[in-house]
Amino acid sequence: MRTDRRTFVKRLALASAAGAAASLMPGVSFGEEVARAIEGLSQPVWRKTPCRFCGVGCGLLVAIENGRAVAVRGDPDSPVNGGLACVKGYHSVQMLYGRDRITRAMVRRNGRLVEVPMDEALDLVAQRMRETIERYGKDAVAMYGSGQWTIPAGYVASKFFKGGIGTNNLEANARLCMSSAVSGFMTSFGLDEPMGCYEDIDHADVFVLWGANMAEMHPVLFSRILEQRERRRAVTIVDLATRTTRTSYAADRSLIFTPQSDLAIANAICHEIVKRGWVNREFVDRYVAFKRGKTGIGYGLEDDFRFTEEAVDATWDEYVRFLEDYTPERVERISGVPAREIRWLASLYGDPSRKVMSLWCMGVNQHTRGTWMNNLIYNIHLLTGKIASPGNSPFSLTGQPSACGTVREVGTLTNRLPKGEVTNEEDRRLAAEIWGVPVERIDPRPTHHTVSMFRALDRGEIRFLWIQVTNPMVTMPNLNRYRSAAQKEGRFIVVSEVYPTPTTDIADVVLPSALWIEQEGMFGNSERRTQHFEQMVRPPGDAMSDAWQMIEVARRMGLGELFPWRREEHVAEIWKEYIRFHDTPEHRMAPYEELKARRGVMWPYVDGRETKWRYNTKYDPAADPARGEFDFYGHPDHRAWIWLRPYEAPPEWPDEEYPFWLSTGRVLEHWHTGSLTRRIPTLHRAVPRAYVEINRQDAEELGIRNGEMVRIISRRGSMAAEARIDYRAQPPRGQVFVPFFDESMLVNELTLDAYCPISGQPDYKKCAVRIERMGMTLGGGPAR
Amino acid sequence: MSGRPEDGPGADPDPGWGGHGAETRRRVLGIGSAIGLMAALILVVGPLVAPERELPPHPKPTPMASPGDPIREEWEVFRTRPGSVAVLPDAQARSGAKPRTLATYRALRAYPGAPPRIPHGLTEDEFRTPRCNTCHERGGFSPRFGAYTPVTPHPEFRQCLQCHVPDGQMVGIGFPDRAASGVCLQCHSLARTVPSIPLADWPEPDWPQIGQRAMEGSPPFIPHDLHLRGNCLVCHGGPGAVAEIRTTHPERANCRQCHVPAPSAEGEFTRPLDREQIIAGKEP
């Protein structure tokens, strides 16, 4: 149903006149009568929801009219974004209505996907799952989800696989996205997720962005930073990056470093802080311990790679000696960043009168030493005591709407449970008790992290794989290997999706999924804020929520007693059950009713109060004031740990044969693999296809003209793309960049499946390629 | 696989992060022996002369040199501090200044994106050595014209007359005394604020439609090219902004967070469900 502009505006006006409550609190505080009255007038009704895209979790208001979502605005009452969104959020509802939306279940017969009734498809999934378990054992079936799962969906997956089937073959694409952030938090603090929150932006004087192009990837938070600089003037933004981007132009200073040398730069900053006497001695003595881990830890390129970290006590003196290697001059020689700039940066961190916020995302996490990089940034903040207080905040950004809420908090990873680790008996007992299953059913051994899981699929140890809400046939590094793995005989792949993708191409069964506001759910954003959204429109055709698909299959497998809920109430029931896992002051969560009524609630939520700064005894109810100003209660010694993490080289770097670094990433207009954003005409038209960014001088030397087709080749694969010179960003000489959203230009066929041994997260930012001219152009080309 | 660390420093022309390794070490040793005794006495110097430890091999560093001139369309948007143009909405009206309107904006341009011609007189001196930036770099109220001066989005170009042309008959007339002179009517008709230039056969061009958007309430697209016009606020913000396209929120600095260009070439994205070449031969 289309509404012309005039009717729409008139209806909006009527809607606000219909009741003060309606306009003041759109979406939530409507009495049902008011809502009905408004619907009776056929006016749009505004409902609140977190955005479906990145991990910022902006509050949006969606206008629903005649059963369709017709408009979006930023929610002025949301503490996350205060009414501002970005171009993706503003156009988000259009993704519900792409013409190639999957609305029916499909089964592959004679090589083609054939529509079948939903029940038939669910029967087949359950049957194949059961057969696979009977023939090959419970660890031959696996589930691969994502940080786009709603919290209820992730919870059902965990209960189904870990509590029902009894396998730890449960992973999520967040492993490719922020598991280094998790292991960074776990090793430095003993508990996951940030101590601070977005409000830190309003207090900080200095913002250091570690390899994060926030102007494009976290634009709403970046605007909040720019607003602070405009308002307070004495605010400094430093962009520390491997290429010059929109963020570099907006920053006060842009420092370009050689890939991988961030490890050395962080240590050089600490070297300077120690040498210049900027260490906050009182803080360090009281709240910090020093640890040494393993070194020379490898890159996980071998199938049988295994790694276990060990923490060994270290002393302050040992730490100071360790830092001696990292003089700014020596670090300049490997990073390319002048020593004076490193000193200047250290002075910003060291200046006791300035509050400093560090922000990072994929540049730090997608790193073969990702855990180390996370540790090193915390080291800087711990040395100076600039942590866990307003404006002093090392802040790990996330890329998916519920990477925190679902994958990290529910624990949809092989090693995790909704609370704690599968290896921990106490955690297994709690899960067994809440789930009502024998504790022996929960397997104490983690199986595979994501890369390892796809390798196990290749080797035939995993035979059945169910993929929900993600697109691994675009995102897996070294993609050629894992695509052929999935296509091998004797593998059965189920894909729950909303649009055809390269992943549905390899599916044996495709299940149509409900998308975003077509179901009720919750997302958890990167500042520990859980946000509820209700179902606002009907899913098309037979489409069903991911959570309910799993429940249907579990019931068919005889595991129905684990999921006794009625469909109308299952989200509320799941939430009530789930929060029993977190019923301690460190992580208590808001009750369902409150979540439904409010613009998200931050945990720990204790006695009706959100916790903005964890570990700070002034704010955090779990922190013990007897320990002083801070209590880092995540570790048994109640201290935060500074780790001695050295610089180690990347697994592959440019040489004569492959002379360029390749980095991959996103653009503002597209999100993840583009399967949603490309269905939004505004976004598709703005950036219709991927390209390769190349430095102007390099292009001149190779004789490459702007817009010309080139082939980029790595040791693992090759792709053709248009060369773009000075288009959106500028790589320095010797580097190229390719966005990964375009399924017709699969840059992940080139990337290396090396990963951080501690987190299992692959490095999508560094491998070596060469470039060849193709002597042709596609014509047209994206406008700016 | 070459390029792996096991190939060691040999694969790299600048080995060892001790930098220009051998040379540095020689120098350090030289200094070490020269001040040997002193170093032994002054403990603090100890660490400085200790031989550098073996450090891992590493890739060749990126030269910190600028990657090139900035990308104008990316960089310009951040050039104007929003605060400098964030005037109160009624400031323009209260000043009694003539508003800059789309009509005058268009009248000075032959087609969308054309460099505007100069609508005012230039003295002979100004014509020889243009100093347009005196007024057009920063903007502000001009008593001469009773209006706010439009701000250039590209003040770094100083050869203004290369693209922006005056009307020949206005060169040399300088700035007339508006109160006393009838000279205005030489160029301005009584009805027009912008001097008209008669044209032989030039139809009114298709000006970009204002306020095109995907849905009600969504941020409008950018309906024009950004070449030399990447600094949004000079036209869309401040008292010199064109009235009809003045932004309500100049404080939001990262304009293209919400407003994206709308090229017309590509339509919808859809893709076929089956890609036979990928799934050939596979049966459940």
Side-chain angles (χ1 to χ4, degrees):
Chain A
M1 280 272 192
R2 279 266 139 97
T3 320
D4 67 71
R5 190 191 137 85
R6 192 182 301 159
T7 342
F8 185 92
V9 171
K10 209 161 70 189
R11 284 169 186 168
L12 285 188
L14 270 171
S16 50
S23 60
L24 284 174
M25 294 283 283
V28 276
S29 62
F30 289 112
E32 279 307 307
E33 318 75 12
V34 179
R36 263 200 306 279
I38 289 168
E39 271 155 21
L41 287 165
S42 187
Q43 287 165 11
V45 178
W46 293 92
R47 292 277 187 260
K48 65 150 182 134
T49 175
C51 179
R52 174 62 176 72
F53 296 117
C54 81
V56 171
C58 290
L60 300 180
L61 295 173
V62 174
I64 308 295
E65 189 184 34
N66 296 321
R68 277 176 71 100
V70 294
V72 184
R73 56 186 165 115
D75 183 350
D77 295 330
S78 168
V80 171
N81 53 315
L84 186 66
C86 80
V87 68
K88 292 184 293 299
Y90 282 123
H91 293 91
S92 52
V93 296
Q94 291 190 317
M95 76 185 163
L96 301 173
Y97 305 112
R99 277 193 301 167
D100 52 350
R101 183 76 194 265
I102 297 172
T103 59
R104 306 277 170 222
M106 283 171 288
V107 170
R108 193 170 300 280
R109 288 186 183 137
N110 299 320
R112 302 201 70 94
L113 288 170
V114 180
E115 284 189 6
V116 295
M118 191 69 175
D119 272 333
E120 192 182 321
L122 293 167
D123 288 346
L124 177 64
V125 172
Q127 179 205 328
R128 294 301 296 246
M129 220 168 154
R130 211 167 34 227
E131 285 169 5
T132 308
I133 294 170
E134 278 161 16
R135 190 157 164 208
Y136 299 101
K138 65 186 174 57
D139 288 338
V141 298
M143 166 66 82
Y144 183 59
S146 86
Q148 301 158 57
W149 255 338
T150 63
I151 292 173
Y155 184 77
V156 169
S158 178
K159 194 172 182 183
F160 181 18
F161 275 72
K162 302 200 172 206
I165 298 168
T167 176
N168 285 319
N169 277 346
L170 171 64
E171 274 282 294
N173 72 355
R175 179 74 72 183
L176 315 177
C177 171
M178 30 89 320
S179 60
S180 296
V182 176
S183 51
F185 277 117
M186 296 306 289
T187 46
S188 290
F189 304 99
L191 283 174
D192 191 19
E193 300 206 26
M195 51 290 303
C197 59
Y198 298 156
E199 201 185 304
D200 283 314
I201 295 173
D202 309 340
H203 302 281
D205 306 303
V206 177
F207 297 88
V208 183
L209 316 182
W210 290 80
N213 177 10
M214 284 183 76
E216 290 197 72
M217 308 320 158
H218 297 89
V220 170
L221 293 183
F222 193 64
S223 278
R224 191 157 167 179
I225 295 175
L226 292 178
E227 199 182 330
Q228 288 301 320
R229 183 173 65 180
E230 194 55 35
R231 196 180 288 174
R232 294 191 272 134
R233 295 286 154 164
V235 164
T236 305
I237 305 170
V238 185
D239 167 59
L240 202 51
T242 57
R243 72 195 232 277
T244 306
T245 65
R246 192 174 284 184
T247 303
S248 318
Y249 295 134
D252 297 285
R253 193 96 186 91
S254 165
L255 304 174
I256 303 297
F257 62 88
T258 314
Q260 191 83 356
S261 69
D262 42 358
L263 293 157
I265 293 169
N267 276 323
I269 290 169
C270 291
H271 173 277
E272 278 300 290
I273 287 170
V274 170
K275 195 177 153 204
R276 309 266 165 188
W278 293 327
V279 174
N280 183 336
R281 283 304 332 180
E282 201 198 327
F283 183 92
V284 170
D285 291 345
R286 198 154 180 190
Y287 306 114
V288 173
F290 294 86
K291 301 285 167 181
R292 198 185 279 280
K294 288 183 183 168
T295 54
I297 59 178
Y299 305 101
L301 283 162
E302 312 78 18
D303 266 33
D304 57 354
F305 183 86
R306 289 280 177 281
F307 178 82
T308 320
E309 175 66 313
E310 269 167 34
V312 178
D313 286 342
T315 63
W316 166 257
D317 291 340
E318 281 167 3
Y319 180 58
V320 173
R321 262 201 306 284
F322 160 82
L323 289 178
E324 277 167 16
D325 290 346
Y326 300 91
T327 63
E329 279 72 20
R330 299 179 89 196
V331 171
E332 172 176 349
R333 280 181 236 133
I334 76 157
S335 67
V337 179
R340 65 170 190 284
E341 304 281 2
I342 296 173
R343 292 209 165 84
W344 172 73
L345 195 51
S347 75
L348 295 179
Y349 276 109
D351 181 349
S353 68
R354 297 195 212 220
K355 296 186 186 127
V356 187
M357 196 167 181
S358 301
L359 298 118
W360 67 94
C361 198
M362 290 306 114
V364 164
N365 294 345
Q366 290 178 338
H367 195 308
T368 51
R369 294 293 177 269
T371 308
W372 289 11
M373 254 328 287
N374 276 271
N375 293 146
L376 289 171
I377 296 174
Y378 297 129
N379 287 359
I380 304 172
H381 285 266
L382 290 169
L383 271 186
T384 51
K386 295 189 180 184
I387 195 164
S389 54
N392 283 319
S393 184
F395 199 91
S396 163
L397 299 161
T398 58
Q400 297 189 87
S402 202
C404 286
T406 304
V407 179
R408 292 161 77 161
E409 291 161 29
V410 176
T412 60
L413 296 168
T414 184
N415 53 310
R416 302 286 293 175
L417 285 166
K419 179 177 182 149
E421 298 275 324
V422 294
T423 49
N424 182 310
E425 197 185 335
E426 206 181 310
D427 295 338
R428 288 199 306 278
R429 283 195 185 287
L430 177 69
E433 187 200 316
I434 294 174
W435 288 343
V437 299
V439 69
E440 306 75 48
R441 177 133 10 125
I442 302 172
D443 196 322
R445 298 161 304 134
T447 52
H448 303 284
H449 59 67
T450 297
V451 172
S452 169
M453 181 186 265
F454 278 87
R455 286 177 185 169
L457 183 73
D458 189 17
R459 294 192 302 270
E461 289 154 34
I462 289 174
R463 296 266 164 174
F464 171 103
L465 177 62
W466 187 349
I467 299 164
Q468 287 198 328
V469 261
T470 188
N471 195 1
M473 292 303 115
V474 177
T475 57
M476 285 301 291
N478 192 11
L479 181 58
N480 285 323
R481 174 177 180 189
Y482 303 114
R483 188 194 302 111
S484 51
Q487 288 173 272
K488 278 188 175 168
E489 280 302 318
R491 312 293 187 276
F492 195 81
I493 314 288
V494 179
V495 178
S496 303
E497 250 301 358
V498 296
Y499 285 109
T501 66
T503 305
T504 58
D505 287 340
I506 55 127
D508 296 290
V509 174
V510 175
L511 298 174
S513 286
L515 173 58
W516 192 30
I517 51 174
E518 293 166 352
Q519 64 199 322
E520 182 185 0
M522 300 93 170
F523 289 151
N525 77 356
S526 36
E527 61 163 356
R528 296 175 278 110
R529 182 180 299 278
T530 315
Q531 307 194 71
H532 173 271
F533 53 99
E534 61 188 59
Q535 182 182 346
M536 303 179 202
V537 292
R538 276 177 191 286
D542 293 339
M544 183 186 277
S545 78
D546 297 306
W548 201 256
Q549 289 175 15
M550 285 184 276
I551 291 173
E552 287 284 348
V553 169
R555 286 178 174 175
R556 284 165 167 78
M557 291 176 69
L559 296 168
E561 82 277 8
L562 293 180
F563 308 100
W565 314 301
R566 292 198 310 132
R567 196 164 175 179
E568 303 77 60
E569 298 154 359
H570 73 286
V571 171
E573 294 299 320
I574 287 172
W575 183 257
K576 280 169 196 160
E577 182 177 307
Y578 163 55
I579 60 174
R580 289 173 60 197
F581 279 93
H582 293 307
D583 197 21
T584 53
E586 304 95 77
H587 201 134
R588 187 164 295 144
M589 306 188 86
Y592 176 77
E593 292 70 23
E594 204 151 335
L595 216 50
K596 214 174 157 173
R598 291 175 54 171
R599 261 53 177 178
V601 181
M602 285 168 78
W603 61 265
Y605 182 70
V606 179
D607 300 331
R609 276 186 52 206
E610 296 175 297
T611 304
K612 288 179 180 171
W613 291 280
R614 289 161 93 197
Y615 311 130
N616 185 322
T617 53
K618 208 157 106 191
Y619 302 95
D620 183 349
D624 179 3
R627 294 188 179 270
E629 208 180 326
F630 300 95
D631 175 10
F632 292 96
Y633 51 78
H635 280 139
D637 61 2
H638 288 256
R639 285 169 180 265
W641 294 358
I642 282 183
W643 287 82
L644 283 60
R645 303 293 200 191
Y647 168 83
E648 282 184 8
E652 181 179 288
W653 67 68
D655 55 18
E656 275 183 15
E657 202 182 346
Y658 297 94
F660 286 88
W661 286 104
L662 167 68
S663 179
T664 69
R666 293 210 297 105
V667 293
L668 165 75
E669 291 84 351
H670 288 296
W671 188 78
H672 202 238
T673 60
S675 60
L676 300 175
T677 47
R678 295 184 97 194
R679 264 78 183 188
I680 298 173
T682 307
L683 303 177
H684 176 56
R685 283 175 203 157
V687 189
R689 55 184 178 266
Y691 49 84
V692 50
E693 273 175 9
I694 180 166
N695 178 278
R696 179 175 290 280
Q697 281 170 282
D698 286 333
E700 275 169 18
E701 265 174 31
L702 293 167
I704 295 166
R705 282 171 294 117
N706 194 15
E708 189 177 357
M709 291 298 286
V710 294
R711 186 165 289 287
I712 356 173
I713 303 149
S714 81
R715 290 180 176 87
R716 295 152 295 278
S718 77
M719 65 174 271
E722 273 172 290
R724 286 275 151 193
I725 301 165
D726 292 351
Y727 165 58
R728 183 63 70 88
Q730 291 163 310
R733 294 209 64 179
Q735 290 189 36
V736 295
F737 172 88
V738 179
F740 73 94
F741 70 85
D742 186 346
E743 62 174 59
S744 63
M745 298 179 185
L746 291 169
V747 69
N748 279 319
E749 292 183 353
L750 280 70
T751 50
L752 182 63
D753 53 344
Y755 53 79
C756 168
I758 305 176
S759 69
Q761 178 164 355
D763 188 331
Y764 291 88
K765 305 292 189 186
K766 303 169 202 77
C767 73
V769 295
R770 68 169 188 270
I771 300 161
E772 289 174 2
R773 290 186 61 200
M774 292 175 72
M776 54 180 280
T777 53
L778 278 183
R784 271 176 201 284
Chain B
M1 204 190 262
S2 78
R4 293 284 196 78
E6 51 266 35
D7 297 328
D12 188 61
D14 177 22
W17 84 336
H20 312 289
E23 198 189 308
T24 312
R25 270 191 290 277
R26 270 198 302 279
R27 201 183 305 136
V28 170
L29 281 175
I31 297 166
S33 48
I35 58 166
L37 253 179
M38 273 175 71
L41 292 170
I42 309 165
L43 286 172
V44 196
V45 198
L48 292 179
V49 293
E52 288 186 2
R53 249 169 290 188
E54 276 304 309
L55 285 156
H58 62 83
K60 198 176 163 193
T62 300
M64 178 61 188
S66 157
D69 292 335
I71 305 169
R72 294 185 164 281
E73 288 78 356
E74 291 293 326
W75 165 62
E76 284 176 349
V77 69
F78 297 113
R79 278 172 67 189
T80 300
R81 278 288 175 98
S84 61
V85 293
V87 290
L88 293 170
D90 62 342
Q92 195 271 335
R94 271 191 288 114
S95 69
K98 282 195 304 249
R100 192 175 166 208
T101 64
L102 265 184
T104 55
Y105 180 91
R106 288 172 180 169
L108 294 176
R109 288 158 175 83
Y111 52 86
R117 60 195 167 82
I118 301 170
H120 57 71
L122 292 175
T123 63
E124 292 285 358
D125 194 36
E126 281 171 328
F127 184 65
R128 278 191 300 272
T129 53
R131 290 187 300 265
C132 314
N133 277 358
T134 313
C135 299
H136 289 285
E137 185 163 359
R138 307 283 297 276
F141 185 73
S142 163
R144 279 172 176 171
F145 297 100
Y148 280 94
T149 313
V151 181
T152 174
H154 41 253
E156 67 280 11
F157 292 122
R158 301 278 164 160
Q159 290 262 73
C160 310
L161 299 182
Q162 170 185 333
C163 302
H164 303 279
V165 293
D167 186 335
Q169 47 178 324
M170 291 197 289
V171 174
I173 62 172
F175 295 101
D177 178 350
R178 280 153 47 87
S181 175
V183 71
C184 303
L185 293 175
Q186 286 174 12
C187 302
H188 298 269
S189 71
L190 283 171
R192 290 183 71 107
T193 53
V194 176
S196 53
I197 290 191
L199 278 166
D201 183 16
W202 189 254
E204 181 68 12
D206 280 335
W207 294 99
Q209 202 187 322
I210 307 296
Q212 293 179 71
R213 58 188 92 217
M215 290 170 285
E216 284 303 327
S218 49
F221 311 132
I222 301 172
H224 59 75
D225 186 69
L226 294 174
H227 181 62
L228 296 181
R229 293 181 291 169
N231 185 349
C232 311
L233 285 177
V234 300
C235 293
H236 295 280
V242 177
E244 295 93 329
I245 56 171
R246 180 182 285 140
T247 174
T248 57
H249 45 269
E251 73 282 5
R252 304 286 191 205
N254 187 8
C255 309
R256 285 162 58 203
Q257 166 179 336
C258 302
H259 305 280
V260 293
S264 51
E266 308 267 344
E268 276 175 74
F269 175 81
T270 57
R271 53 104 80 199
L273 186 64
D274 257 327
R275 293 208 162 165
E276 284 85 346
Q277 72 276 21
I278 296 174
I279 47 92
K282 191 171 183 230
E283 277 186 51

